[in-house]
Amino acid sequence: MKLLVTGGAGFIGSAFVRMALAENRAALVVNLDKLTYAGNLENLASVAGDSRYRFAHADICDAPRVNEVLAGVQPDAIVHFAAESHVDRSILSPEPVFQTNLRGTFTLLEAARLNRVPRFLHVSTDEVYGSIEPPDEAGEEYPLKASSPYSASKAGSDLLALSYFVTYRLPVTVTRASNNYGPYQFPEKLIPLMLTNAFEGLPLPVYGDGRQIRDRLSLEDPCRALVSVLSLGRPGEIYNIGGNCSLPNLEVVRRILRATGQPDSLVRTVADRPGHDRRYALSSAKLQRETGWSPQVSFDGGLARTIDWYRQNQEWVRRVKSGEYRNYYELNYGGR
Ligand code: NAD
Ligand code: TYD
């Protein structure tokens, strides 16, 4: 199988590329990535010398370039991760979010249609369902209720992708996963931000009362789910990927403090995120029924391994947290 992966230099995309090659699931993996602040080829250093791996530096909004890459590769499947992926950045600066997540997805779908790509896996998020009142869990038919520019752009791109199945019979499948965590995650997201701050004894900025609930997935679990959906998922269908692991943010932060040996006094309650969704909750019954997938990694086990990885990769952290990251940190947290 020849795979074209977009956003393969990011957090989940790079894990998927590493897994696809390690498990011999592809004869060729082409990683098409613009290398934004979140894209980092260091994440793929372990496969850079593999003859089955290629990198194509490209913006998914650039139709001629995307068509050129697709025509050259003629992939059996596209796995589409590339996105502006962070809610807080989407609030500070929504334009690039709509550009990449909507225009970029549209450009890629058009290129896939013109090049008759036999499989298109669109990687999306549980955030499209918005905040969910307990005890509900969102199944795939749950109404869309996006709260942030990020989630609105993902909901829009999901609908666009599915319309290409209905209208053009492009074999699109959509996945919607809950919050992933693990090695190589950019430290703008909750878990790597908190644990890298904890290492340095810096304040841990918790939004509002910290009782917002997210479902957590250790990276290997969603990557395995994507592999299952790629082979067993039905075109035109949506599959939720949840970890059965609902925890309030403050509890996650406290566990990070305990695991890093730092005191609870590092917690700083700061002004809440505007439009902050209170609770996400997913049912992955459909995925489990149709593919046999289920999450395998416990939160404490996954968190311990993640903390170990960040501890052992301080140079990666130092490089990623220098430069642009400092401006972002000041912009998002400075006046909070
Ligand atoms: P990330 O921010 O770590 O990586 C995004 C990658 O996309 C980067 O390599 C970046 O360079 C690339 N990219 C951005 N704009 C591009 C463009 N215009 N053209 C080409 N490449 C571009 O993101 P992530 O956390 O790995 O998320 C990957 C996907 O999974 C996203 O679509 C996201 O919405 C979805 N998702 C993420 C989570 C999560 O918890 N992180 C959960 C559910 C779904
Ligand atoms: P995040 O990792 O940004 O993922 P998402 O918004 O996509 O769920 O945030 C996870 C939760 O943690 C969310 O409820 C917001 C909260 N949060 C904080 O309290 N402080 C922070 O500094 C960050 C980045 C997030």
Side-chain angles (χ1 to χ4, degrees), residues 10-12 33-34 36 39 59-60 81 85 100 124 150 154 180:
F11 164 54
I12 312 174
D33 199 298
K34 181 183 175 183
T36 66
D59 184 336
I60 53 166
F81 295 95
S85 69
T100 285
S124 190
Y150 166 68
K154 292 299 289 188
N180 293 208

Side-chain angles (χ1 to χ4, degrees), residues 10-176:
F11 164 54
I12 312 174
S14 65
F16 182 83
V17 170
R18 292 189 304 269
M19 177 185 272
L21 291 170
E23 296 183 355
N24 278 319
R25 293 189 184 273
L28 178 69
V29 179
V30 178
N31 167 23
L32 186 156
D33 199 298
K34 181 183 175 183
L35 299 182
T36 66
Y37 76 91
N40 185 350
L41 290 178
E42 280 185 63
N43 302 358
L44 291 163
S46 63
V47 298
D50 191 318
S51 58
R52 299 166 301 162
Y53 169 75
R54 267 191 241 148
F55 176 58
H57 193 195
D59 184 336
I60 53 166
C61 301
D62 179 348
R65 176 80 178 115
V66 168
N67 273 303
E68 178 190 63
V69 175
L70 274 196
V73 177
Q74 301 199 341
D76 298 301
I78 293 178
V79 188
H80 175 36
F81 295 95
E84 288 293 333
S85 69
H86 191 39
V87 173
D88 292 317
R89 287 188 194 251
S90 85
I91 294 168
L92 292 169
S93 177
E95 206 279 335
V97 177
F98 289 113
Q99 182 67 11
T100 285
N101 299 4
L102 287 165
R103 158 73 58 186
T105 300
F106 162 70
T107 305
L108 197 62
L109 286 164
E110 269 297 278
R113 178 170 80 89
L114 294 174
N115 289 278
R116 299 178 192 283
V117 175
R119 203 97 171 84
F120 190 110
L121 179 53
H122 175 70
V123 179
S124 190
T125 167
D126 63 352
E127 304 205 17
V128 299
Y129 300 119
S131 203
I132 293 172
E133 285 299 317
D136 281 8
E137 285 185 335
E140 290 78 2
E141 303 303 320
Y142 206 79
L144 301 182
K145 191 165 60 66
S147 307
S148 69
Y150 166 68
S151 51
S153 72
K154 292 299 289 188
S157 66
D158 290 10
L159 294 178
L160 196 56
L162 290 166
S163 79
Y164 269 62
F165 173 72
V166 177
T167 304
Y168 302 114
R169 292 283 140 187
L170 182 72
V172 171
T173 306
V174 174
T175 58
R176 292 179 177 150

Side-chain angles (χ1 to χ4, degrees), residues 7 23 107 220 228 260 319 332:
E23 296 183 355
T107 305
E220 320 74 305
S228 300
T260 54
R319 279 195 291 279
N332 194 45

Side-chain angles (χ1 to χ4, degrees), residues 86-88 127 179 188-190 193-194 205-207 212 214 216 249 273 276 280 333:
H86 191 39
V87 173
D88 292 317
E127 304 205 17
N179 289 58
E188 63 191 355
K189 307 289 191 320
L190 181 85
L193 187 146
M194 297 295 171
V206 171
Y207 297 160
Q212 305 84 3
R214 296 290 183 269
R216 310 269 164 196
N249 294 333
R273 175 188 275 175
H276 199 171
Y280 295 147
Y333 297 96

